[in-house]
């Protein structure tokens, strides 16, 4: 339970030098919404990350003004205002192309999943109590003064993700908070998970079934690429949540190896690739996951790479690697190799794998030098034969390690056409 910070609890420092508070768009929003007794503060991720010295991207605001008033004040200041979630108090204010969510202070009267019955308030502490974790109930005004009504700063510094109020009650209001608990731990957690929180997540885990695929997938993607993803995924597994989430048995070792290899090579993680490593044995797994989590086709195509037979995975030689790079393109080539490295159990910083992954830096993928029109120009050939001849030529060209040149390929084309069975003529 979140109690106000004890006397020794660290007090948050001022953010008066934070660069994000000086961004012109942010200044404009604060100015527009700080008139005639209206008070507005940044809240959540921006304040939290800034206090940790992490980059601040998205900035959310909390305000004492009612939504209609927010709209009016924004428009009076020549800012665009869109009533994106006005029934629960949220207006999107757009300043010079940058959108900001501005939400009126509120308390949740009754909550059913996302659809809370709410009441607006002017009390910052009440607003803090309806938020999920203490480290997310941090506010900063436009001068950078930080407000910490629930002792969130102490928890932030300690890396303790703590539910506000009784964890069990808060989860029953919105089961997404189970995944948010693991997500925020994956980003900010240090040491063991907060016991009351984790116990409540375990007890109420079947509630995840009530969430939409989109909301689950959104959290899962972020967990998978978090700085402490391996730790969070292990925790989900150890506490019996992961198998339900994936609808299948996870491949923990492969996942952890992939994370280690990516980290050692300094590669930016891709959630779909990490999910491929974690959950795909055969193509059906990829298809089931994509349907279950409503993933995009692009994500599905990465998931399918997880089904390749990496069991006999070994470092490809230069020729085989060139062939893969040509056939898969640079993104999938990298994904494929990373999975193979994870399967092989390569040491994370292994120089040979690193070199293979960098193939695209030293080898320019060639363009197949023959076109359909080259084949047609040879005379008596028709549609399907053209396609077949091109495919055959390309295969021979690849097999030659891309050494056959256009002239040699055209000679081969003549031979192929001459010897090809003429169908249906
Ligand atoms: P990030 O943007 O990095 O995900 P954030 O803390 O800004 O982190 P948002 O999802 O943008 O997270 O939400 C903004 C704030 O709204 C949160 O900090 C939290 O206080 C509150 N909040 C968001 N979702 C929930 C939820 N499901 N239950 C309770 N409070 C929530
Ligand atoms: Mg945010």
């Amino acid at each position: 339970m979140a109690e106000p910070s004890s006397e020794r609890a660290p007090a948050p420092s001022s953010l008066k030098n934070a660069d994000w508070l000086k961004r012109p768009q942010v200044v404009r929003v604060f100015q527009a919404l700080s008139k005639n007794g209206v008070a507005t503060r940044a809240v959540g991720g921006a304040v939290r990350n800034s206090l940790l010295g992490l980059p601040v991207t998205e900035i959310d605001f909390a305000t004492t003004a009612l939504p209609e008033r927010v709209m009016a004040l924004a428009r009076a200041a020549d800012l665009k205002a869109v009533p994106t979630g006005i029934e629960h108090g949220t207006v999107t204010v757009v300043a010079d192309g940058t959108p900001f969510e501005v939400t009126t202070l509120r308390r949740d009267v009754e909550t059913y999943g996302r659809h809370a019955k709410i009441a607006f308030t002017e009390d910052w502490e009440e607003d803090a109590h309806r938020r999920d974790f203490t480290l997310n109930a941090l506010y900063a005004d436009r001068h950078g003064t930080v407000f910490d009504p629930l002792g969130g700063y102490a928890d932030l510094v300690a890396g303790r993700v703590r539910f506000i109020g009784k964890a069990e009650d808060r989860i029953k209001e919105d089961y997404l908070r189970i995944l948010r608990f693991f997500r925020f731990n994956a980003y900010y957690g240090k040491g063991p998970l907060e016991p009351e929180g984790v116990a409540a997540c375990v007890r109420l885990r079947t509630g995840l079934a009530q969430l939409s695929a989109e909301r689950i997938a959104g959290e899962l993607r972020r967990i998978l690429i978090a700085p402490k993803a391996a730790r969070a995924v292990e925790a989900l597994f150890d506490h019996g949540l992961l198998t339900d989430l994936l609808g299948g048995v996870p491949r923990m070792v492969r996942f952890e190896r992939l994370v280690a290899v990516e980290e050692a090579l300094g590669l930016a993680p891709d959630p779909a690739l990490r999910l491929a490593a974690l959950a795909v044995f055969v193509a059906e797994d990829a298809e089931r996951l994509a349907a279950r989590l409503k993933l995009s086709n692009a994500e599905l195509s990465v998931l399918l790479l997880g089904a390749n037979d990496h069991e006999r995975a070994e470092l490809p030689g230069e020729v085989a690697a060139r062939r893969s790079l040509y056939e898969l393109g640079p993104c999938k080539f990298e994904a494929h190799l990373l999975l193979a490295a994870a399967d092989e159990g390569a040491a994370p910083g292994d120089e040979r794998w690193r070199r293979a992954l960098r193939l695209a830096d030293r080898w320019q993928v060639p363009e197949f030098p023959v076109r359909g029109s080259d084949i047609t120009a040879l005379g008596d050939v028709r549609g399907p034969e053209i396609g077949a001849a091109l495919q055959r030529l390309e295969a021979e060209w690849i097999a030659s390690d891309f050494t056959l040149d256009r002239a040699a390929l055209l000679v081969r084309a003549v031979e192929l056409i001459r010897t090809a069975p003429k169908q249906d003529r």
Side-chain angles (χ1 to χ4, degrees), residues 308-338:
N308 283 350
D309 183 11
H310 302 283
E311 296 307 330
R312 279 174 279 119
E314 52 184 40
L315 183 72
E318 196 75 5
V319 172
R322 280 199 283 264
R323 179 183 182 129
S324 290
L325 176 54
Y326 176 78
E327 286 173 349
L328 295 172
C331 293
K332 283 200 182 156
F333 170 75
E334 184 181 287
H336 171 80
L337 270 191
L338 286 170

Side-chain angles (χ1 to χ4, degrees), residues 139-157:
Y139 303 77
D141 70 12
R142 60 178 165 154
H143 308 295
T145 304
V146 177
F147 299 87
D148 178 15
L150 304 178
Y153 184 69
D155 287 333
L156 181 65
V157 174

Side-chain angles (χ1 to χ4, degrees), residues 131-280:
R131 296 180 182 276
D132 45 9
F133 306 107
T134 56
L135 50 68
N136 283 341
L138 289 160
Y139 303 77
D141 70 12
R142 60 178 165 154
H143 308 295
T145 304
V146 177
F147 299 87
D148 178 15
L150 304 178
Y153 184 69
D155 287 333
L156 181 65
V157 174
R160 195 163 49 226
V161 180
R162 202 149 58 110
F163 279 97
I164 295 168
K166 209 162 167 290
E168 199 153 319
D169 297 343
R170 302 311 311 283
I171 292 172
K172 283 183 191 154
E173 291 168 1
D174 180 2
Y175 287 99
L176 192 73
R177 290 176 189 155
I178 293 178
L179 295 181
R180 287 176 67 91
F181 177 77
F182 286 92
R183 190 220 322 162
F184 286 109
N185 269 293
Y187 282 85
Y188 311 106
K190 294 181 204 155
L193 302 178
E194 194 278 311
E196 187 199 329
V198 77
C201 289
V202 171
R203 269 198 301 279
L204 297 172
R205 65 178 186 268
T206 52
L208 288 173
Q210 297 176 28
L211 298 172
S212 71
E214 289 84 354
R215 291 185 91 200
I216 293 182
E219 287 297 326
L220 196 56
R221 287 188 191 96
R222 299 176 78 172
I223 291 172
L224 288 168
I225 60 167
K228 293 169 190 158
R231 199 189 104 141
V233 170
E234 261 167 49
L236 282 167
F237 185 53
D238 287 347
H239 292 98
L241 280 77
L242 190 60
T243 311
D244 283 350
L245 275 174
L246 302 176
V249 185
R251 310 181 70 166
M252 298 302 292
V253 172
R254 180 158 85 156
F255 176 74
E256 279 158 22
R257 282 180 180 162
L258 174 72
V259 172
V261 170
E262 286 178 340
E263 281 174 3
L265 299 178
L267 297 171
D270 167 19
L273 180 60
R274 290 202 165 175
L275 189 57
L278 180 63
V280 177

Side-chain angles (χ1 to χ4, degrees), residues 37 39 41 62-66 103-108 119-131 139 147 149-150:
R41 296 172 183 170
T63 183
T64 57
L66 293 175
T103 305
T104 304
L105 301 191
R106 61 174 225 225
R107 71 194 136 85
D108 294 343
F120 296 124
T121 171
E122 294 205 346
D123 183 337
W124 292 92
E125 197 164 326
E126 264 187 329
D127 182 77
H129 275 285
R130 65 102 179 156
R131 296 180 182 276
Y139 303 77
F147 299 87
L150 304 178

Side-chain angles (χ1 to χ4, degrees), residues 39-73:
T40 298
R41 296 172 183 170
V43 64
V47 183
R48 181 193 67 221
N49 288 10
S50 188
L51 285 168
L52 290 176
L54 298 173
V56 168
T57 44
E58 197 197 76
I59 301 161
D60 304 306
F61 291 93
T63 183
T64 57
L66 293 175
E68 303 296 343
R69 183 104 190 271
V70 171
M71 304 267 299
L73 287 169

